[in-house]
C-alpha cells in the first residue's frame, strides 16, 4: 500500500447500505449492552433511519475492498430548540477492523462535517465499561462530562453510561443557525 493511503474509503451513507450496516449493528443489539436497543431493526427501518438522518446530519460509511466495515453518524442532542447547536455522535465498527484507526478516521471526518455545518458541541455516550470507546473519544479531544448511573437495563442488569463533550467551535454572540447536511 502506498504511503498516506488507508485500507478503507469513507463516503456518505446511502439507504441501500442499510443491509451491510445492519450486519455490523445487529451483534451489538443481540449480544451486548453497547446499544440499549433490544430488538434488531429491520433493513427497512435502518434505511429509513439513514434517510431521516441525512436530511439534517452527516452519516458516513467506511468501505474496505467494496465491503462496508464501519459507520458513524450524528443526530440530535435534545429536541428543545435551544439545543440546536449541539449534536450527538455514534460509531459502529465491524469486529475485524477495530483497533486499526478506522474509528478515529470516521470520527475525524464526521467532526469536520459538523464544524462546517455550524455545530458548536458534539456529545458521545458509551455504556461502561468500554475502554476502547473512552480511549477513542478522549484521543479526539472529547472531555468527560458525567456518568448516568444504572440508566439502562439490558442483559439482566443495569448499566452506566458515560458522556463526553467536544467543543467544535467557540460561540461568539448569537451564532448562525447550523445548516442541514442534506446528504
Amino acid at each position: 500500500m502506498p504511503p498516506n493511503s488507508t485500507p478503507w474509503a469513507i463516503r456518505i451513507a446511502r439507504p441501500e447500505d442499510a443491509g451491510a450496516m445492519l450486519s455490523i449493528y445487529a451483534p451489538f443489539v443481540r449480544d451486548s449492552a453497547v446499544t440499549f436497543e433490544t430488538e434488531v431493526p429491520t433493513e427497512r427501518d435502518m434505511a429509513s433511519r439513514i434517510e431521516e438522518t441525512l436530511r439534517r446530519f452527516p452519516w458516513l460509511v467506511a468501505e474496505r475492498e467494496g465491503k462496508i466495515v464501519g459507520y458513524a453518524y450524528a443526530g440530535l442532542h435534545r429536541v428543545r430548540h435551544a439545543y440546536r447547536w449541539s449534536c450527538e455522535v455514534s460509531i459502529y465498527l465491524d469486529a475485524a477492523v477495530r483497533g486499526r484507526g478506522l474509528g478515529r478516521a470516521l470520527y475525524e471526518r464526521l467532526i469536520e462535517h459538523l464544524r462546517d455545518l455550524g455545530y458548536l458541541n458534539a456529545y458521545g455516550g458509551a455504556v461502561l465499561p468500554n475502554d476502547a470507546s473512552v480511549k477513542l473519544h478522549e484521543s479526539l479531544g472529547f472531555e468527560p462530562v458525567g456518568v448516568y448511573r444504572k440508566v439502562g437495563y439490558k442483559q439482566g442488569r443495569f448499566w452506566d453510561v458515560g458522556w463526553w463533550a467536544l467543543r467544535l467551535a467557540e460561540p461568539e454572540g448569537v451564532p448562525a443557525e447550523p445548516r442541514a447536511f442534506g446528504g
Side-chain angles (χ1 to χ4, degrees):
M1 185 172 12
N4 299 323
S5 67
T6 61
W8 48 74
I10 297 173
R11 64 169 173 78
I12 305 303
R14 299 182 294 255
E16 56 266 27
D17 297 328
M21 284 191 272
L22 197 53
S23 69
I24 294 168
Y25 184 62
F28 288 105
V29 176
R30 283 191 312 264
D31 308 327
S32 80
V34 166
T35 175
F36 283 164
E37 194 156 11
T38 57
E39 298 292 325
V40 176
T42 66
E43 191 170 328
R44 173 177 260 170
D45 291 338
M46 192 68 123
S48 294
R49 291 176 187 185
I50 295 164
E51 287 176 333
E52 182 64 28
T53 298
L54 286 174
R55 288 185 186 121
R56 183 162 175 196
F57 295 98
W59 187 317
L60 307 175
V61 297
E63 292 179 315
R64 182 174 69 187
E65 299 173 2
K67 179 184 179 210
I68 292 175
V69 293
Y71 62 93
Y73 61 94
L76 288 176
H77 170 62
R78 295 277 197 232
V79 296
R80 300 285 189 263
H81 193 64
Y83 289 110
R84 66 191 176 276
W85 291 278
S86 297
C87 59
E88 187 175 320
V89 294
S90 296
I91 188 166
Y92 291 92
L93 303 176
D94 185 273
V97 298
R98 291 184 205 139
R100 298 184 182 177
L102 177 56
R104 180 179 195 82
L106 274 167
Y107 256 1
E108 285 175 342
R109 184 80 57 87
L110 184 67
I111 289 165
E112 181 181 313
H113 281 295
L114 294 170
R115 283 189 171 117
D116 289 346
L117 293 169
Y119 287 94
L120 302 177
N121 304 293
Y123 298 96
V127 173
L128 301 175
N130 188 334
D131 292 339
S133 186
V134 171
K135 182 179 176 183
L136 174 62
H137 284 91
E138 292 183 357
S139 75
L140 289 164
F142 283 79
E143 297 179 347
V145 292
V147 176
Y148 293 160
R149 303 276 179 211
K150 299 185 185 317
V151 69
Y153 187 84
K154 188 173 179 184
Q155 296 184 319
R157 66 172 272 206
F158 279 97
W159 296 87
D160 296 346
V161 174
W163 285 94
W164 285 261
L166 177 66
R167 174 79 74 200
L168 300 171
E170 285 300 323
E172 295 180 21
V174 178
E177 291 293 318
R179 293 177 309 287
F181 182 68

